Amino acid sequence: MKITDVKTEVVHIPLKKPFRIAFAVQDHSVNVLVKIMTDDGLWGIGEAAPFEPVTGENAGTVLEVLKLFRQGLIGRDALDIEGAHRMMDGLIAGNTAAKAAVDIALYDLRGKAMGQPLYKVLGGGKNQFVTDMTVGIDTPEAMAAEARERVEKDGFSVLKIKAGICPADDVRALQLIREAVGPHIRLRVDANQGYTYSDAVRTLKAFAELGVEAVEQCLPGWDLEGMRDLRGRVDIKLMLDEAVHSPIDAARACRMGAADSINIKLMKCGGLYPAQQINAIAEANHVECMVGCMVETKVAMAAGAALVAARDNITEADCDSFMSAVDPEMGMPGGFTVQNGVYTLGDRPGLGLDIDF
């Protein structure tokens, strides 16, 4: 099965409301879809969801890099995903969202060729898991109101609370959120590198008293030593996100004992192939993983969801961003459903989405 052509399409994703984290505010995303076609008549769809503060890319750079990859992909065996990554890494460093788009399309193709849904292609047997829902930074009162709505109206049992700008406001927000949602809703916090070490010590102790079970990337991504030391000073699980882009990053973090868990994002690492490597390294070091996301359509979200379903060591999911779009479906029916925070994956081959261009 040889690759015969590669096409791209730019998609604009407006959000229902601006989404604020410690270092950025987003009210939309401009992503790139990729279609890889073969001489067997099969084709696969992938997606790049670039985010400049994290991946260093935007839609323009993704399109240029995909032109480069197209030359290396045409004529290649569509099932040789490792070879495709070797080719892409040999042509250009970084550019992980562009690489993820190619990777996802090739895995979609593999699933179609096998006649199996992607979670089974990846070796999994379950088709359900629970995702959290993220609450962006706002006033503490507004965040508590949103948290209550997400629980009472939408049925979510796990909330991820963004933080990292003002520690005092963060603690106040978590106090109000806990009061609003009650003691049984699971809470975790994502500070997006926003705290100093001393702020983190004080703030995380306050979070622990409120029953927060984990805090994600509270220190800058480069400060693995700080994360390692912080683990010994607070009674709360620590997760790495921006500190781990690659399998090499994961190996170093595990070797240093810098994390209780790692947030894997396909756009950050370059797709499902390196994501599985990160998880394997983490699992060998008794470190659990979560699959997170950028602002993505159902294409990349279906790929991330398949990975969650396929690996027991991926114990948490933060696969919620498509639900924040003005049109979550975006003309892409199928793949999966989400009800009360529970993902149920379909059994159609590959990503299982009804989309073409």
Side-chain angles (χ1 to χ4, degrees):
M1 188 166 64
K2 301 296 183 182
I3 296 171
T4 57
D5 201 5
V6 179
K7 293 173 61 178
T8 59
E9 182 172 285
V10 176
V11 293
H12 296 260
I13 309 172
L15 301 182
K16 294 174 183 175
K17 70 174 187 175
F19 182 67
R20 187 181 189 190
I21 63 175
F23 57 74
V25 179
Q26 276 187 285
D27 60 8
H28 73 285
S29 184
V30 182
N31 295 4
V32 180
L33 298 182
V34 173
K35 180 181 180 181
I36 297 180
M37 292 159 278
T38 71
D39 57 2
D40 283 2
L42 297 176
W43 46 264
I45 299 290
E47 178 183 5
F51 185 40
E52 288 174 312
V54 176
T55 72
E57 303 163 275
N58 56 43
T61 67
V62 167
L63 288 169
E64 290 302 313
V65 170
L66 288 173
K67 290 178 185 177
L68 186 65
F69 291 163
R70 183 179 184 273
Q71 300 174 46
L73 287 167
I74 291 179
R76 180 177 292 277
D77 181 355
L79 299 179
D80 182 13
I81 296 176
E82 180 177 4
H85 275 278
R86 191 162 52 244
M87 176 273 293
M88 292 189 291
D89 290 341
L91 286 173
I92 193 167
N95 292 275
T96 49
K99 292 173 181 177
V102 172
D103 171 281
I104 293 167
L106 291 177
Y107 273 102
D108 187 29
L109 261 170
R110 178 177 287 187
K112 289 174 178 176
M114 294 175 62
Q116 294 293 327
L118 185 51
Y119 74 92
K120 289 188 177 180
V121 173
L122 297 176
K126 64 181 181 182
N127 72 337
Q128 286 190 324
F129 63 86
V130 175
T131 184
D132 66 23
M133 174 52 71
T134 304
V135 176
I137 296 175
D138 204 326
T139 66
E141 293 75 15
M143 292 174 72
E146 181 177 352
R148 184 193 298 274
E149 181 176 2
R150 294 300 190 184
V151 170
E152 295 182 354
K153 178 181 176 183
D154 301 326
F156 287 92
S157 61
V158 188
L159 298 177
K160 175 174 171 177
I161 312 303
K162 290 291 187 177
I165 295 177
C166 175
D169 285 348
D170 295 341
V171 173
R172 178 60 177 160
L174 265 296
Q175 290 171 336
L176 294 179
I177 288 169
R178 179 55 80 193
E179 292 173 4
V181 302
H184 302 300
I185 297 300
R186 296 173 57 205
L187 299 179
R188 48 180 171 252
V189 171
D190 183 4
N192 286 112
Q193 310 179 79
Y195 294 151
T196 64
Y197 183 87
S198 58
D199 281 341
V201 172
R202 291 191 299 268
T203 308
L204 268 60
K205 288 181 177 178
F207 288 160
E209 293 177 357
L210 292 166
V212 173
E213 62 183 38
V215 176
E216 183 177 341
Q217 201 63 62
C218 52
L219 300 181
W222 53 262
D223 193 6
L224 289 180
E225 291 84 358
M227 292 292 289
R228 177 195 60 202
D229 295 344
L230 188 60
R231 285 185 70 207
R233 297 193 60 180
V234 297
D235 186 22
I236 197 168
K237 289 183 178 180
L238 299 185
M239 179 183 294
L240 294 179
D241 179 1
E242 288 91 348
V244 177
H245 288 246
S246 68
I248 293 173
D249 294 338
R252 180 168 179 256
C254 290
R255 196 163 55 240
M256 292 182 63
D260 297 291
S261 59
I262 292 172
N263 185 353
I264 302 171
K265 292 178 179 174
L266 303 187
M267 299 303 138
K268 191 177 56 170
C269 70
L272 289 162
Y273 184 80
Q276 292 174 90
Q277 294 176 319
I278 290 173
N279 180 63
I281 290 167
E283 185 172 18
N285 287 275
H286 308 290
V287 173
E288 295 178 347
C289 290
M290 176 173 80
V291 168
C293 57
M294 304 302 189
V295 177
E296 301 169 0
T297 72
K298 289 182 69 179
V299 173
M301 203 65 64
L307 181 59
V308 178
R311 292 290 181 269
D312 287 343
N313 191 60
I314 299 176
T315 58
E316 304 293 346
D318 178 35
C319 298
D320 61 342
S321 66
F322 84 99
M323 291 180 262
S324 297
V326 171
D327 177 13
E329 287 289 302
M330 291 194 66
M332 303 175 186
F336 57 82
T337 60
V338 184
Q339 186 172 7
N340 296 327
V342 177
Y343 262 76
T344 302
L345 307 186
D347 285 325
R348 293 176 61 186
L351 297 175
L353 294 168
D354 188 9
I355 174 177
D356 191 8
F357 64 89

